[in-house]
Amino acid sequence: MRTFVVIVEEGGITAAATRLLRRQPTVSVALGRLEAQIGSRLIERGGGAFRLTSAGRELYRECTEIYGSISRLADLTQSATKELTGHVEILLASHVVTPILDQTLVDFHRAYPEVSFEIRIETSRNVLRGVLEKTAPFGICLLNRRLAKLEYERIYREHFGFFCGPPHPLYGRRNLDISDLRGCAGVSFETDSMDDALRPVAIFRRDNDLDHNIVGRSTHLEEVRRLISCGLGIGPLPIHVVRQDLENGTLWRLPPYENPPAVDIYVVTNPASRLSRAEGKFLSALKAQIAAKTLADRTYDGLSPLGFSPKPVGPVQAQ
Protein backbone atom coordinates (compact mmCIF):
# COMPACT_ATOMS: atom_id res chain seq x y z
CA MET A 1 0.00 0.00 0.00
CA ARG A 2 2.92 2.35 0.66
CA THR A 3 4.15 1.69 -2.87
CA PHE A 4 0.66 2.50 -4.18
CA VAL A 5 0.62 5.81 -2.27
CA VAL A 6 3.99 6.80 -3.71
CA ILE A 7 2.86 5.88 -7.25
CA VAL A 8 -0.15 8.18 -6.86
CA GLU A 9 1.87 11.01 -5.33
CA GLU A 10 4.55 10.82 -8.02
CA GLY A 11 2.06 10.44 -10.86
CA GLY A 12 3.66 7.36 -12.39
CA ILE A 13 5.53 4.11 -11.86
CA THR A 14 8.89 5.34 -13.14
CA ALA A 15 8.96 8.36 -10.81
CA ALA A 16 7.76 6.20 -7.91
CA ALA A 17 10.56 3.70 -8.54
CA THR A 18 13.12 6.52 -8.39
CA ARG A 19 11.73 7.78 -5.08
CA LEU A 20 11.54 4.29 -3.58
CA LEU A 21 15.03 3.37 -4.84
CA ARG A 22 13.61 0.32 -6.59
CA ARG A 23 13.57 -0.96 -10.15
CA GLN A 24 10.55 -0.08 -12.25
CA PRO A 25 9.49 -3.74 -12.83
CA THR A 26 9.50 -4.30 -9.05
CA VAL A 27 7.12 -1.40 -8.53
CA SER A 28 4.88 -2.56 -11.38
CA VAL A 29 4.70 -6.07 -9.88
CA ALA A 30 3.84 -4.63 -6.45
CA LEU A 31 0.99 -2.62 -7.96
CA GLY A 32 -0.29 -5.66 -9.85
CA ARG A 33 -0.17 -7.79 -6.70
CA LEU A 34 -2.13 -5.15 -4.77
CA GLU A 35 -4.77 -4.95 -7.51
CA ALA A 36 -5.09 -8.75 -7.44
CA GLN A 37 -5.56 -8.72 -3.65
CA ILE A 38 -8.12 -5.91 -3.83
CA GLY A 39 -9.88 -7.48 -6.79
CA SER A 40 -10.16 -4.19 -8.67
CA ARG A 41 -8.08 -2.16 -11.07
CA LEU A 42 -6.69 0.83 -9.18
CA ILE A 43 -4.96 2.84 -11.91
CA GLU A 44 -5.82 3.16 -15.58
CA ARG A 45 -2.47 3.20 -17.36
CA GLY A 46 -1.16 2.74 -20.86
CA GLY A 47 -0.92 4.89 -23.94
CA GLY A 48 0.39 7.81 -21.91
CA ALA A 49 -2.64 7.80 -19.58
CA PHE A 50 -2.38 7.66 -15.80
CA ARG A 51 -5.65 8.00 -13.93
CA LEU A 52 -7.00 6.65 -10.67
CA THR A 53 -10.13 4.55 -10.87
CA SER A 54 -12.93 5.09 -8.36
CA ALA A 55 -11.55 2.13 -6.37
CA GLY A 56 -8.08 3.66 -6.56
CA ARG A 57 -9.29 7.00 -5.24
CA GLU A 58 -11.06 5.34 -2.32
CA LEU A 59 -8.03 3.20 -1.45
CA TYR A 60 -5.72 6.22 -1.67
CA ARG A 61 -7.88 8.09 0.86
CA GLU A 62 -7.77 5.13 3.25
CA CYS A 63 -4.01 4.66 2.78
CA THR A 64 -3.19 8.28 3.56
CA GLU A 65 -5.31 8.08 6.72
CA ILE A 66 -3.40 4.96 7.83
CA TYR A 67 -0.02 6.41 6.88
CA GLY A 68 -0.74 9.68 8.68
CA SER A 69 -1.56 7.87 11.90
CA ILE A 70 1.39 5.45 11.79
CA SER A 71 4.00 8.06 10.84
CA ARG A 72 3.29 10.04 14.02
CA LEU A 73 3.20 7.17 16.54
CA ALA A 74 6.67 8.03 17.84
CA ASP A 75 5.56 11.52 18.84
CA LEU A 76 2.41 10.20 20.49
CA THR A 77 4.23 7.64 22.63
CA GLN A 78 6.35 10.32 24.32
CA SER A 79 3.20 11.50 26.13
CA ALA A 80 4.00 9.08 28.97
CA THR A 81 7.25 10.85 29.84
CA LYS A 82 7.34 13.30 32.74
CA GLU A 83 9.64 15.81 31.05
CA LEU A 84 8.10 17.37 27.96
CA THR A 85 10.10 16.17 24.97
CA GLY A 86 9.21 15.27 21.43
CA HIS A 87 9.07 16.94 18.07
CA VAL A 88 6.78 19.59 16.57
CA GLU A 89 6.45 19.92 12.81
CA ILE A 90 5.07 23.23 11.57
CA LEU A 91 3.68 23.23 8.05
CA LEU A 92 3.79 26.76 6.62
CA ALA A 93 2.83 28.59 3.48
CA SER A 94 5.69 30.58 1.95
CA HIS A 95 6.96 33.47 4.10
CA VAL A 96 4.53 33.66 7.00
CA VAL A 97 5.76 36.77 8.85
CA THR A 98 4.17 37.58 12.20
CA PRO A 99 5.52 38.20 15.71
CA ILE A 100 2.73 35.97 17.03
CA LEU A 101 4.41 32.84 15.70
CA ASP A 102 7.90 34.13 16.54
CA GLN A 103 7.03 34.95 20.15
CA THR A 104 5.36 31.57 20.59
CA LEU A 105 8.56 29.86 19.45
CA VAL A 106 10.67 31.98 21.81
CA ASP A 107 8.51 31.35 24.86
CA PHE A 108 7.98 27.65 24.13
CA HIS A 109 11.67 26.94 23.64
CA ARG A 110 12.50 28.65 26.92
CA ALA A 111 9.87 26.61 28.75
CA TYR A 112 10.55 23.28 27.00
CA PRO A 113 14.10 23.23 25.60
CA GLU A 114 13.99 19.46 24.97
CA VAL A 115 11.32 19.82 22.28
CA SER A 116 12.66 19.94 18.72
CA PHE A 117 11.07 21.70 15.74
CA GLU A 118 10.87 21.27 12.01
CA ILE A 119 9.45 23.99 9.77
CA ARG A 120 8.37 22.80 6.33
CA ILE A 121 7.32 25.17 3.54
CA GLU A 122 4.52 24.09 1.21
CA THR A 123 1.85 25.70 -0.93
CA SER A 124 -1.31 26.56 0.99
CA ARG A 125 -3.09 23.75 -0.84
CA ASN A 126 -0.49 21.22 0.32
CA VAL A 127 -0.62 22.57 3.86
CA LEU A 128 -4.35 21.86 3.94
CA ARG A 129 -3.82 18.40 2.47
CA GLY A 130 -1.15 17.56 5.07
CA VAL A 131 -3.47 18.53 7.93
CA LEU A 132 -6.43 16.73 6.36
CA GLU A 133 -4.40 13.54 5.87
CA LYS A 134 -2.98 13.81 9.42
CA THR A 135 0.63 13.82 8.27
CA ALA A 136 1.05 17.18 10.03
CA PRO A 137 -0.43 18.19 13.40
CA PHE A 138 -1.45 21.64 12.14
CA GLY A 139 -0.64 24.14 9.42
CA ILE A 140 -0.48 27.88 8.81
CA CYS A 141 -1.64 29.06 5.41
CA LEU A 142 -3.89 31.18 3.24
CA LEU A 143 -7.39 29.97 2.35
CA ASN A 144 -9.70 30.11 -0.59
CA ARG A 145 -12.25 27.53 0.51
CA ARG A 146 -12.75 25.74 3.82
CA LEU A 147 -12.76 21.97 4.05
CA ALA A 148 -15.56 20.75 6.30
CA LYS A 149 -13.36 18.34 8.28
CA LEU A 150 -10.87 21.02 9.38
CA GLU A 151 -10.99 23.90 11.86
CA TYR A 152 -9.61 27.38 11.23
CA GLU A 153 -8.49 30.33 13.35
CA ARG A 154 -7.25 33.55 11.82
CA ILE A 155 -3.76 34.52 12.95
CA TYR A 156 -3.34 37.80 11.11
CA ARG A 157 -4.34 39.86 8.09
CA GLU A 158 -1.81 41.19 5.60
CA HIS A 159 -2.16 43.62 2.72
CA PHE A 160 -0.70 43.07 -0.73
CA GLY A 161 0.78 46.05 -2.55
CA PHE A 162 2.15 46.16 -6.07
CA PHE A 163 5.85 46.74 -6.66
CA CYS A 164 8.53 47.05 -9.32
CA GLY A 165 12.34 46.81 -9.29
CA PRO A 166 15.09 49.29 -10.25
CA PRO A 167 15.27 48.18 -13.92
CA HIS A 168 11.56 48.88 -14.44
CA PRO A 169 10.44 52.14 -16.17
CA LEU A 170 8.06 52.95 -13.29
CA TYR A 171 10.75 52.68 -10.63
CA GLY A 172 11.20 55.93 -8.69
CA ARG A 173 8.14 57.62 -10.17
CA ARG A 174 5.70 59.28 -7.78
CA ASN A 175 2.10 60.39 -8.16
CA LEU A 176 1.28 57.34 -10.25
CA ASP A 177 -2.26 56.19 -10.93
CA ILE A 178 -3.52 52.64 -11.36
CA SER A 179 -3.92 53.39 -15.07
CA ASP A 180 -0.12 53.75 -15.32
CA LEU A 181 0.18 50.04 -14.54
CA ARG A 182 -2.05 48.86 -17.37
CA GLY A 183 -0.18 47.19 -20.17
CA CYS A 184 2.86 46.44 -17.98
CA ALA A 185 4.15 42.89 -17.87
CA GLY A 186 3.40 41.19 -14.56
CA VAL A 187 4.74 38.49 -12.27
CA SER A 188 2.86 36.80 -9.45
CA PHE A 189 2.23 33.71 -7.36
CA GLU A 190 0.90 30.39 -8.61
CA THR A 191 -1.99 30.89 -6.18
CA ASP A 192 -2.91 34.30 -7.67
CA SER A 193 -6.10 33.11 -9.36
CA MET A 194 -9.84 33.35 -8.87
CA ASP A 195 -10.07 29.82 -7.44
CA ASP A 196 -7.01 29.81 -5.18
CA ALA A 197 -5.58 31.35 -2.01
CA LEU A 198 -4.78 34.81 -3.42
CA ARG A 199 -8.27 35.37 -4.79
CA PRO A 200 -8.46 38.98 -3.39
CA VAL A 201 -5.34 39.88 -5.38
CA ALA A 202 -6.70 38.19 -8.51
CA ILE A 203 -10.00 40.08 -8.15
CA PHE A 204 -8.14 43.38 -7.81
CA ARG A 205 -6.05 42.69 -10.91
CA ARG A 206 -9.13 41.65 -12.89
CA ASP A 207 -11.18 44.68 -11.84
CA ASN A 208 -8.34 47.04 -12.75
CA ASP A 209 -7.40 45.32 -16.00
CA LEU A 210 -4.01 44.16 -14.70
CA ASP A 211 -4.46 40.45 -15.38
CA HIS A 212 -2.81 40.29 -18.79
CA ASN A 213 0.73 39.42 -19.88
CA ILE A 214 1.93 37.51 -16.80
CA VAL A 215 5.55 36.65 -17.65
CA GLY A 216 6.63 34.88 -14.45
CA ARG A 217 5.18 32.90 -11.55
CA SER A 218 6.42 31.05 -8.48
CA THR A 219 4.99 29.33 -5.41
CA HIS A 220 7.60 31.01 -3.17
CA LEU A 221 7.54 34.63 -2.10
CA GLU A 222 11.33 34.97 -2.33
CA GLU A 223 11.28 34.04 -6.00
CA VAL A 224 8.35 36.34 -6.85
CA ARG A 225 10.30 39.13 -5.14
CA ARG A 226 13.38 38.19 -7.20
CA LEU A 227 11.43 38.40 -10.48
CA ILE A 228 10.04 41.80 -9.50
CA SER A 229 13.35 43.28 -8.32
CA CYS A 230 15.05 42.06 -11.53
CA GLY A 231 12.58 44.09 -13.57
CA LEU A 232 10.66 41.32 -15.31
CA GLY A 233 7.39 42.94 -14.37
CA ILE A 234 5.24 44.46 -11.66
CA GLY A 235 3.81 42.16 -9.02
CA PRO A 236 2.03 41.78 -5.67
CA LEU A 237 3.82 41.20 -2.35
CA PRO A 238 2.78 41.51 1.33
CA ILE A 239 3.66 45.11 2.21
CA HIS A 240 4.90 44.40 5.73
CA VAL A 241 7.18 41.61 4.50
CA VAL A 242 9.08 43.76 1.99
CA ARG A 243 9.54 46.90 4.06
CA GLN A 244 13.31 46.38 4.23
CA ASP A 245 13.40 46.07 0.43
CA LEU A 246 11.66 49.44 0.20
CA GLU A 247 14.15 50.98 2.59
CA ASN A 248 17.19 49.73 0.68
CA GLY A 249 15.72 50.55 -2.73
CA THR A 250 15.44 47.08 -4.23
CA LEU A 251 11.68 47.56 -4.61
CA TRP A 252 9.42 50.54 -5.37
CA ARG A 253 5.81 50.82 -4.22
CA LEU A 254 3.19 51.27 -6.95
CA PRO A 255 -0.56 51.99 -6.76
CA PRO A 256 -2.87 51.27 -5.07
CA TYR A 257 -1.55 53.29 -2.13
CA GLU A 258 -4.89 53.08 -0.29
CA ASN A 259 -7.06 50.04 0.41
CA PRO A 260 -4.77 47.39 -1.11
CA PRO A 261 -6.06 43.79 -1.29
CA ALA A 262 -6.26 42.10 2.12
CA VAL A 263 -5.52 38.42 2.70
CA ASP A 264 -6.05 36.46 5.93
CA ILE A 265 -3.66 33.80 7.24
CA TYR A 266 -5.04 30.95 9.37
CA VAL A 267 -3.84 28.20 11.65
CA VAL A 268 -5.57 25.03 10.46
CA THR A 269 -6.19 21.94 12.61
CA ASN A 270 -7.86 18.58 12.20
CA PRO A 271 -10.16 17.60 15.10
CA ALA A 272 -9.67 13.93 14.16
CA SER A 273 -5.88 14.11 14.68
CA ARG A 274 -4.32 12.87 17.91
CA LEU A 275 -1.64 15.35 18.94
CA SER A 276 1.39 14.51 21.04
CA ARG A 277 1.88 16.44 24.29
CA ALA A 278 4.45 18.71 22.64
CA GLU A 279 2.20 19.41 19.66
CA GLY A 280 -0.85 20.05 21.83
CA LYS A 281 1.01 22.41 24.17
CA PHE A 282 2.58 24.35 21.30
CA LEU A 283 -0.76 24.73 19.52
CA SER A 284 -2.37 25.94 22.75
CA ALA A 285 0.45 28.44 23.24
CA LEU A 286 0.04 29.72 19.68
CA LYS A 287 -3.71 30.16 20.10
CA ALA A 288 -3.13 32.00 23.40
CA GLN A 289 -0.86 34.45 21.58
CA ILE A 290 -3.57 34.99 18.97
CA ALA A 291 -6.27 35.54 21.59
CA ALA A 292 -4.11 38.10 23.41
CA LYS A 293 -4.32 40.55 20.48
CA THR A 294 -7.24 42.20 18.74
CA LEU A 295 -7.64 41.79 14.99
CA ALA A 296 -6.54 45.41 14.59
CA ASP A 297 -3.27 44.51 16.33
CA ARG A 298 -2.97 41.50 14.02
CA THR A 299 -3.54 43.51 10.84
CA TYR A 300 -0.38 44.57 9.01
CA ASP A 301 -0.64 47.39 6.48
CA GLY A 302 3.07 47.91 5.93
CA LEU A 303 3.18 51.47 7.20
CA SER A 304 3.38 50.26 10.79
CA PRO A 305 4.68 46.72 10.26
CA LEU A 306 4.10 44.25 13.06
CA GLY A 307 3.12 47.04 15.41
CA PHE A 308 6.47 48.85 15.41
CA SER A 309 6.82 52.55 14.60
CA PRO A 310 8.54 52.89 11.25
CA LYS A 311 11.13 55.41 10.17
CA PRO A 312 9.95 57.75 7.36
CA VAL A 313 10.82 56.16 4.04
CA GLY A 314 10.27 57.78 0.64
CA PRO A 315 9.12 54.78 -1.41
CA VAL A 316 6.57 53.70 1.19
CA GLN A 317 5.03 57.18 1.26
CA ALA A 318 4.88 57.53 -2.55
CA GLN A 319 1.52 59.03 -3.47
Side-chain angles (χ1 to χ4, degrees), residues 1 61-71 133:
M1 288 196 296
R61 281 194 292 267
E62 292 297 324
C63 285
T64 52
E65 286 275 338
I66 295 169
Y67 176 74
S69 298
I70 293 176
S71 65
E133 295 176 354

Short mmCIF file of all heavy atoms in Angstrom, two decimals, residues 1 61-71 133:
data_model
loop_
_atom_site.label_atom_id
_atom_site.label_comp_id
_atom_site.label_asym_id
_atom_site.label_seq_id
_atom_site.Cartn_x
_atom_site.Cartn_y
_atom_site.Cartn_z
N MET A 1 0.83 -1.20 0.00
CA MET A 1 0.00 0.00 0.00
C MET A 1 0.87 1.26 0.00
O MET A 1 0.52 2.27 -0.61
CB MET A 1 -0.95 -0.01 1.20
CG MET A 1 -2.09 -1.03 1.05
SD MET A 1 -3.45 -0.74 2.20
CE MET A 1 -2.63 -1.02 3.76
N ARG A 61 -7.40 7.36 -0.33
CA ARG A 61 -7.88 8.09 0.86
C ARG A 61 -7.64 7.28 2.13
O ARG A 61 -7.19 7.80 3.15
CB ARG A 61 -9.36 8.45 0.71
CG ARG A 61 -9.63 9.65 -0.17
CD ARG A 61 -11.06 10.14 -0.01
NE ARG A 61 -12.02 9.18 -0.54
CZ ARG A 61 -12.49 9.22 -1.78
NH1 ARG A 61 -12.07 10.15 -2.62
NH2 ARG A 61 -13.37 8.33 -2.20
N GLU A 62 -7.96 5.99 2.07
CA GLU A 62 -7.77 5.13 3.25
C GLU A 62 -6.28 4.98 3.58
O GLU A 62 -5.88 5.01 4.75
CB GLU A 62 -8.39 3.76 2.99
CG GLU A 62 -9.90 3.77 2.90
CD GLU A 62 -10.57 4.22 4.19
OE1 GLU A 62 -10.05 3.88 5.28
OE2 GLU A 62 -11.59 4.92 4.12
N CYS A 63 -5.45 4.84 2.55
CA CYS A 63 -4.01 4.66 2.78
C CYS A 63 -3.39 5.88 3.43
O CYS A 63 -2.54 5.76 4.32
CB CYS A 63 -3.31 4.37 1.45
SG CYS A 63 -3.57 2.71 0.81
N THR A 64 -3.77 7.07 2.98
CA THR A 64 -3.19 8.28 3.56
C THR A 64 -3.62 8.45 5.02
O THR A 64 -2.86 8.96 5.84
CB THR A 64 -3.58 9.52 2.74
OG1 THR A 64 -5.00 9.55 2.56
CG2 THR A 64 -2.90 9.51 1.39
N GLU A 65 -4.86 8.04 5.33
CA GLU A 65 -5.31 8.08 6.72
C GLU A 65 -4.44 7.16 7.58
O GLU A 65 -3.96 7.54 8.65
CB GLU A 65 -6.77 7.64 6.81
CG GLU A 65 -7.77 8.66 6.32
CD GLU A 65 -8.13 9.65 7.41
OE1 GLU A 65 -7.96 9.31 8.60
OE2 GLU A 65 -8.57 10.76 7.08
N ILE A 66 -4.22 5.94 7.10
CA ILE A 66 -3.40 4.96 7.83
C ILE A 66 -1.97 5.47 7.97
O ILE A 66 -1.38 5.44 9.05
CB ILE A 66 -3.43 3.60 7.12
CG1 ILE A 66 -4.84 3.01 7.14
CG2 ILE A 66 -2.43 2.63 7.75
CD1 ILE A 66 -5.01 1.80 6.23
N TYR A 67 -1.41 5.95 6.87
CA TYR A 67 -0.02 6.41 6.88
C TYR A 67 0.15 7.59 7.82
O TYR A 67 1.12 7.68 8.57
CB TYR A 67 0.41 6.81 5.47
CG TYR A 67 1.81 7.38 5.42
CD1 TYR A 67 2.93 6.57 5.57
CD2 TYR A 67 2.00 8.75 5.23
CE1 TYR A 67 4.20 7.10 5.53
CE2 TYR A 67 3.27 9.29 5.20
CZ TYR A 67 4.37 8.45 5.34
OH TYR A 67 5.61 8.99 5.32
N GLY A 68 -0.83 8.51 7.80
CA GLY A 68 -0.74 9.68 8.68
C GLY A 68 -0.72 9.30 10.14
O GLY A 68 0.01 9.88 10.95
N SER A 69 -1.51 8.30 10.51
CA SER A 69 -1.56 7.87 11.90
C SER A 69 -0.28 7.15 12.31
O SER A 69 0.29 7.40 13.37
CB SER A 69 -2.76 6.95 12.13
OG SER A 69 -3.96 7.63 11.87
N ILE A 70 0.21 6.24 11.45
CA ILE A 70 1.39 5.45 11.79
C ILE A 70 2.64 6.31 11.86
O ILE A 70 3.49 6.16 12.74
CB ILE A 70 1.58 4.31 10.78
CG1 ILE A 70 0.44 3.29 10.93
CG2 ILE A 70 2.92 3.63 10.94
CD1 ILE A 70 0.47 2.18 9.91
N SER A 71 2.78 7.27 10.92
CA SER A 71 4.00 8.06 10.84
C SER A 71 4.22 8.93 12.06
O SER A 71 5.34 9.38 12.32
CB SER A 71 3.97 8.95 9.59
OG SER A 71 2.93 9.90 9.68
N GLU A 133 -4.85 14.93 5.89
CA GLU A 133 -4.40 13.54 5.87
C GLU A 133 -3.66 13.14 7.15
O GLU A 133 -3.15 12.02 7.24
CB GLU A 133 -3.50 13.33 4.64
CG GLU A 133 -4.25 13.49 3.33
CD GLU A 133 -3.35 13.37 2.12
OE1 GLU A 133 -2.11 13.27 2.30
OE2 GLU A 133 -3.86 13.39 0.99
#
